[in-house]
Amino acid sequence: MNAKIQFRFVRSVGCLAVLSVFGHALAEEIDVAQLTKPDSSVGLGAGIVSGNKGDRSIFGMYNGLRDNKGYGLADVSVSKRDETTGTWTTLEGRNLGLDNREFGFSQNKQGDWKYYLDYNELTRHDPRTINTALQGAGTTNPNVKLLATPGTGANLDLELKRKAFGIGGEKWIFPNLQLEVNFKTEDKNGSRLFGAGFTCTSSTAPGCLGASATRTGWAQLMLPEPVNSTTRQIETKLNYIGEKLALSGGYYGSFFTNGYGTLNPNVPGTLYNAVGTALPLNTGLQGILNNPIALPPDSQAHQLYLSGNYAFTPTTRGTFKYAYTHATQNDGFLGSGLTGAPGGRANLGGVVDTTLLHLGLTARPMPKLSLLANFRYEDKKDKTPIDWYNVEGTSTFTNGHVSNRKVGGKLEASYQMLPKTRATFGLDYLEVTRELPVKTDTIAGLSALRGQTTEFGYRAEVRQTLADSFAGTLGYINSRRRGSDWYSLCTSAACNAAGVGYGTSTSSGAIIGASATGIFPMTLTDRNRDKLRLMSDWTPTDRFSVQLMAEVGVDHYVTNGTKGLKDTGMSLFSLDANWGLTDNWKLTGYASHGTQTLHVNHSTGYLADLKSTTDTFGLGTTGMPTPRLQVGADLSLTYERDRYGQSLDPAASATNVAFLNASGGLPDVVFQVKTFKFFGRYTLDKNSDIRFNLIHQRAHLNDWTWSYNGVPFVYSDNTTVFMNQRQNVTFAGLTYIYRFQ
């Protein structure tokens, strides 16, 4: 049986991902003749799926098996070599009967020229079903209509379809100079879950009155985002390969265009309040909800780059890369449906220029010693004009910049201490300098900013080979991030009169003008990181091998205040094993346990103790009961639990204490998937096979954010979003494969 055919067929049949289980067995069948005269194949078949769309919304998100009961399965793989010219012609088609189909054609003459064409589709089906009276869903003008009772509207399934086409080629101009040209365009159409909402507050919208018993003072609306965009990418480069010097330089361009500029909802004057009573909207709220919502604007980026490496000696090599990127966003406001721009401003005029420089050196000055050093410099300059775009009530403020400069480097030495012991030690450095916001740019929700952070770390690792069959590695990683003076954000008249948007600064992390309950961004605060890693590989026989890995780490965040992110932690333990029971039977297995933790002292007085746990297990086997029959089975389990532990700090109000005691806090989110896969392939004759695939999956998702105890989330127009919490689905497919040369 030809391994190449099996590989391509396994990849194709509706996301039947059995290659990871059976790939090693297939690879062993490859011989030299197959590389010069490989078999071609055509596969035709049919598959059926149990249940309805709701039963397989998780299973069918990407694999094309969501909507219907039956599907056609079609695949083609053709490889031909012209013995006279040495030209290869390849034709590939996978999943041709599904909506995630792929197709490719190429021709090449090794060492001379090559060209290719490819086309692929991918549809993402939203796993949740929407029940709504909304009209024009997925368009730029949705019309909100009230449902008298939740669940009595029409079901809406959102999907996003990508269609990509690529063309490219390469040509060796001279023996050491090659030209490559590639172009790709991807169209994205459909709609995805999106929405809008607002709560009336006098500070941000004086015309929007506060809540009352006779009016609705806030609203949440489901408004699917319409998608009609195209992304084009082009790259052309020259590659030079000399005796000591290798270079690659060229141009890369990316162009994004969006057919839709704004989402313009039509919201009625009456919506439901929190207890399901239809009431008129507060004064001004309807107008706010009817404001146009900007969609992603057109943008483009152009990059020139040059990279390469140079062999100074047989044991010393240098590498380098330089790139300059000019990115712009100048989509017109009026053409996108946006009004009210600052005077004389037709578009944002967004410009970001980025310069990247990377230098590296590897050397082996003596047989037992290896050295590595690199330097990286990246300068991102935001040159977008500053103007008065933002309004909150009677207050106005401008946009800001995201300019920053990063300077980093790494040093590493590895030494063979003993015949079976190798030690590695490394140093890492990263300095980030950020442009502080202009005084007219209001940074809401933060107490202070700092302009620079510096991170220094070291790594140590020892690899020990205890025997020919066993090797282990122990490593430790440590890093410390510190920063420059903090500047308290200031919007007072005194700060504005001084021409700055900040109060007094001081060193040592002390914040002047910010209380102990101040809020500081986690990306700028001091951080201490420690990580320990252990890996081992045991191969007692040619048929049996085991790999173990354990990793634990913790980040501690240090601020002058009592609020914000305090620490995060992670751990991962995994086991992988492969066992060749006989020449015809193989067994594989894996198991892993991972956790992530996060502790946050929220500014409202809540103390969040978050923990995410993931456990996975898999067991697979493949074998040949007879020379004509190959079978395989795979069982996998995944269990994820997100815990939302909550408590209160001592200063919490009695109201918050009573609410937490009464509610018990947020429940856990649990997701589990059990999947069983089976395949059998029978050789009918020297040119044909028949293959059977079976997949059975059981999924359970208990997610309170959209459905608490099976009760769907309800929007202000009685639109609901729901998903079957327990889903069972079975896929069965039968395919006939004809092989030829």
Side-chain angles (χ1 to χ4, degrees):
M1 181 56 59
N2 182 279
K4 186 175 182 181
I5 294 174
Q6 298 174 41
F7 173 82
R8 290 171 177 166
F9 181 73
V10 170
R11 288 183 58 185
S12 64
V13 184
C15 276
L16 310 179
V18 294
L19 177 62
S20 60
V21 180
F22 312 125
H24 295 297
L26 301 179
E28 292 177 358
E29 300 178 20
I30 296 177
D31 55 38
V32 176
Q34 292 173 336
L35 299 177
T36 56
K37 294 183 178 181
D39 284 349
S40 299
S41 68
V42 174
L44 295 174
I48 58 174
V49 190
S50 67
N52 54 37
K53 292 192 294 185
D55 296 325
R56 53 179 185 264
S57 66
I58 295 175
F59 174 80
M61 282 182 64
Y62 294 101
N63 62 16
L65 302 175
R66 169 73 182 272
D67 291 334
N68 303 314
K69 288 281 190 179
Y71 296 88
L73 306 176
D75 309 278
V76 60
S77 175
V78 178
S79 294
K80 294 291 185 180
R81 182 176 184 271
D82 189 310
E83 297 292 343
T84 303
T85 64
T87 301
W88 282 91
T89 300
T90 302
L91 176 68
E92 297 279 354
R94 306 186 184 102
N95 304 333
L96 299 180
L98 306 175
D99 65 8
N100 62 342
R101 58 185 59 87
E102 301 177 22
F103 180 83
F105 175 81
S106 68
Q107 282 192 316
N108 77 88
K109 184 177 182 181
Q110 190 172 4
D112 189 1
W113 55 267
K114 175 184 178 180
Y115 74 89
Y116 72 88
L117 303 168
D118 62 46
Y119 173 83
N120 61 78
E121 297 180 12
L122 180 65
T123 301
R124 191 232 183 224
H125 300 269
D126 195 290
R128 294 177 172 85
T129 298
I130 300 165
N131 186 273
T132 185
L134 181 73
Q135 297 179 355
T139 71
T140 58
N141 300 103
N143 192 11
V144 177
K145 299 291 184 179
L146 272 63
L147 279 176
T149 305
T152 59
N155 284 348
L156 175 65
D157 294 318
L158 303 180
E159 65 178 36
L160 199 59
K161 181 178 285 290
R162 301 169 184 259
K163 295 182 179 180
F165 172 76
I167 183 172
E170 59 186 52
K171 170 65 177 176
W172 285 93
I173 304 174
F174 302 109
N176 57 356
L177 185 63
Q178 181 194 46
L179 172 66
E180 289 185 55
V181 179
N182 301 284
F183 173 78
K184 179 181 179 180
T185 179
E186 180 181 273
D187 295 325
K188 188 187 302 182
N189 290 277
S191 56
R192 53 189 164 202
L193 193 60
F194 187 69
F198 193 81
T199 298
C200 290
T201 55
S202 59
S203 60
T204 59
C208 185
L209 300 179
S212 69
T214 59
R215 288 184 176 272
T216 297
W218 62 270
Q220 286 182 301
L221 297 172
M222 192 283 303
L223 305 170
E225 177 191 350
V227 178
N228 178 21
S229 64
T230 300
T231 301
R232 296 181 176 89
Q233 298 169 295
I234 185 171
E235 183 176 21
T236 178
K237 62 180 177 179
L238 283 171
N239 302 313
Y240 171 82
I241 302 177
E243 183 178 349
K244 291 187 175 183
L245 176 66
L247 293 174
S248 180
Y251 163 82
Y252 170 79
S254 176
F255 308 85
F256 173 82
T257 57
N258 195 345
Y260 300 140
T262 55
L263 177 63
N264 303 276
N266 182 17
V267 180
T270 298
L271 292 173
Y272 293 99
N273 64 7
V275 294
T277 302
L279 294 174
L281 301 185
N282 279 2
T283 304
L285 180 56
Q286 183 182 18
I288 293 173
L289 294 174
N290 277 319
N291 279 332
I293 301 171
L295 298 174
D298 298 354
S299 62
Q300 55 184 283
H302 308 269
Q303 182 183 88
L304 295 174
Y305 63 89
L306 177 66
S307 62
N309 62 81
Y310 182 79
F312 296 97
T313 70
T315 59
T316 304
R317 181 176 293 273
T319 61
F320 67 91
K321 179 177 182 179
Y322 174 82
Y324 176 79
T325 305
H326 177 68
T328 61
Q329 194 276 91
N330 50 22
D331 200 3
F333 292 137
L334 290 178
S336 299
L338 295 171
T339 59
R345 182 66 60 195
N347 57 70
L348 178 67
V351 176
V352 177
D353 292 333
T354 304
T355 301
L356 172 67
L357 175 64
H358 176 90
L359 300 173
L361 181 69
T362 59
R364 197 178 185 91
M366 58 184 66
K368 293 185 177 182
L369 178 64
S370 299
L371 301 176
L372 180 149
N374 65 47
F375 169 81
R376 181 183 176 89
Y377 173 87
E378 183 182 56
D379 187 16
K380 180 185 295 183
K381 293 182 178 179
D382 189 343
K383 300 178 180 179
T384 304
I386 300 296
D387 219 325
W388 300 91
Y389 288 101
N390 305 295
V391 180
E392 282 191 0
T394 59
S395 301
T396 59
F397 50 97
T398 68
N399 58 313
H401 282 164
V402 293
S403 300
N404 62 74
R405 183 179 69 251
K406 299 178 182 179
V407 179
K410 179 168 68 174
L411 295 173
E412 183 177 287
S414 183
Y415 185 73
Q416 190 78 35
M417 301 171 59
L418 297 171
K420 295 184 178 181
T421 304
R422 190 170 190 87
T424 302
F425 184 79
L427 300 175
D428 299 279
Y429 177 82
L430 177 63
E431 178 184 284
V432 183
T433 303
R434 301 170 178 85
E435 178 183 354
L436 291 171
V438 295
K439 70 168 186 174
T440 53
D441 180 13
T442 299
I443 310 299
L446 295 178
S447 300
L449 293 174
R450 65 194 338 175
Q452 187 180 79
T453 57
T454 302
E455 185 168 355
F456 177 80
Y458 65 88
R459 297 167 284 109
E461 181 180 282
V462 177
R463 179 173 176 82
Q464 175 75 53
T465 303
L466 302 180
D468 292 338
S469 62
F470 182 84
T473 302
L474 177 64
Y476 174 70
I477 301 173
N478 173 281
S479 68
R480 297 290 183 266
R481 183 176 69 195
R482 299 294 182 263
S484 60
D485 296 351
W486 285 96
Y487 290 82
S488 59
L489 294 175
C490 178
T491 57
S492 67
C495 291
N496 290 329
V500 297
Y502 311 95
T504 309
S505 69
T506 184
S507 59
S508 304
I511 312 299
I512 293 180
S515 67
T517 58
I519 303 173
F520 312 107
M522 58 173 288
T523 56
L524 301 181
T525 56
D526 294 352
R527 185 194 65 203
N528 303 328
R529 171 171 292 174
D530 297 276
K531 183 178 289 187
L532 185 66
R533 180 182 298 151
L534 174 66
M535 295 182 290
S536 66
D537 190 339
W538 182 41
T539 310
T541 69
D542 293 340
R543 293 182 180 272
F544 183 73
S545 65
V546 178
Q547 295 81 40
L548 290 168
M549 194 272 283
E551 187 175 66
V552 293
V554 62
D555 288 354
H556 290 284
Y557 294 83
V558 183
T559 66
N560 228 32
T562 60
K563 301 300 181 180
L565 179 62
K566 293 304 176 183
D567 61 75
T568 63
M570 62 79 61
S571 64
L572 177 63
F573 305 91
S574 67
L575 167 69
D576 291 90
N578 295 273
W579 189 10
L581 302 175
T582 67
D583 290 340
N584 293 329
W585 287 92
K586 297 183 182 296
L587 184 68
T588 61
Y590 66 89
S592 69
H593 172 78
T595 61
Q596 291 182 305
T597 60
L598 184 147
H599 297 92
V600 179
N601 293 354
H602 197 271
S603 59
T604 59
Y606 284 97
L607 308 180
D609 179 10
L610 311 181
K611 183 176 182 180
S612 177
T613 303
T614 302
D615 294 290
T616 62
F617 170 80
L619 185 65
T621 183
T622 179
M624 298 185 67
T626 71
R628 286 176 173 263
L629 177 64
Q630 182 179 0
V631 297
D634 177 23
L635 175 65
S636 62
L637 309 174
T638 299
Y639 181 84
E640 299 178 5
R641 177 181 290 272
D642 294 331
R643 189 192 71 187
Y644 294 83
Q646 292 175 280
S647 58
L648 295 170
D649 64 26
S653 67
T655 301
N656 286 344
V657 172
F659 177 79
L660 182 60
N661 291 337
S663 65
L666 296 172
D668 294 350
V669 172
V670 176
F671 176 63
Q672 52 184 326
V673 178
K674 305 173 184 177
T675 305
F676 173 75
K677 301 176 184 178
F678 172 83
F679 91 98
R681 188 189 70 248
Y682 185 76
T683 301
L684 300 174
D685 53 49
K686 66 177 183 179
N687 293 114
S688 59
D689 300 338
I690 190 168
R691 181 179 180 111
F692 174 73
N693 284 90
L694 175 72
I695 297 179
H696 178 72
Q697 184 180 93
R698 293 176 175 266
H700 174 218
L701 175 61
N702 184 11
D703 181 3
W704 58 264
T705 58
W706 288 108
S707 177
Y708 180 63
N709 287 336
V711 179
F713 181 86
V714 182
Y715 286 92
S716 299
D717 59 352
N718 273 348
T719 290
T720 56
V721 177
F722 67 97
M723 181 175 66
N724 291 355
Q725 288 190 326
R726 297 186 180 276
Q727 301 184 17
N728 299 326
V729 58
T730 300
F731 169 86
L734 188 66
T735 303
Y736 171 77
I737 307 169
Y738 179 75
R739 292 176 283 108
F740 58 94
Q741 288 188 334

